[in-house]
Amino acid sequence: MQNNAIVEALYKALAQGHTEAVAKLLASDLEWWFHGPPQSQHMMRVLTGEASHTDFRFEPRSITEVGDCVIVEGWEGAKAYWVHVWTLKEGLITHFREYFNTWLTVRDLKPQGWENFIVWQSMPRDLFHRSLPSIMLAI
């Protein structure tokens, strides 16, 4: 499976509450990083079993593969905007970055001459007039 398909399978399994299928996609030593209000760590609560898959609905609006990373963006109205960045190695999710109510810009820093460039930016259509903190992720 391509990285994109693996992450799509993860969200499908989450939506259906299939925890065994989710566990098979994640490394046992999954590295996790979060940026946002502490009460908004929704995905990690679901992945650890602290919350049910019905407590917060993850409905991806866009899924973009960038190298070993898959960036997933979603929003639910004007109050909940999230970006998930999943890193995969050999078909297994090894790193997870969760951003909640944060504008994200992803830059590619691989040496290609002297410049690095933006490979992905947040695009939450319902939140353009809202002030959110921004953060840069270098890959």
Side-chain angles (χ1 to χ4, degrees):
M1 290 175 86
Q2 300 249 355
N3 290 345
N4 208 24
I6 292 169
V7 171
E8 286 179 10
L10 173 82
Y11 284 97
K12 184 177 179 181
L14 283 169
Q16 297 171 349
H18 295 151
T19 56
E20 291 175 13
V22 170
K24 289 179 183 177
L25 300 172
L26 304 173
S28 60
D29 61 345
L30 178 71
E31 184 177 321
W32 170 71
W33 189 87
F34 176 80
H35 184 272
Q39 70 274 16
S40 300
Q41 299 175 15
H42 301 294
M43 180 59 81
M44 189 46 73
R45 286 190 183 113
V46 171
L47 293 178
T48 60
E50 184 180 329
S52 167
H53 71 283
T54 59
D55 289 351
F56 188 89
R57 195 166 133 203
F58 293 101
E59 186 176 318
R61 306 292 178 114
S62 72
I63 299 177
T64 307
E65 190 168 345
V66 179
D68 291 339
C69 294
V70 177
I71 304 167
V72 183
E73 177 181 40
W75 57 91
E76 310 306 324
K79 298 203 187 229
Y81 171 67
W82 52 269
V83 177
H84 296 157
V85 181
W86 306 91
T87 303
L88 292 90
K89 290 190 180 168
E90 299 175 9
L92 201 59
I93 297 170
T94 58
H95 295 84
F96 170 56
R97 295 176 192 95
E98 182 174 17
Y99 303 90
F100 197 86
N101 286 343
T102 303
W103 294 100
L104 181 65
T105 300
V106 180
R107 285 190 168 268
D108 184 356
L109 296 180
K110 294 177 185 154
Q112 294 179 3
W114 292 97
E115 297 182 27
N116 58 51
F117 58 95
I118 294 172
V119 294
W120 189 89
Q121 280 188 295
S122 294
M123 296 296 292
R125 68 160 197 252
D126 296 343
L127 303 175
F128 280 124
H129 301 293
R130 186 166 170 211
S131 176
L132 295 174
S134 62
I135 195 166
M136 178 83 60
L137 173 63
I139 59 171

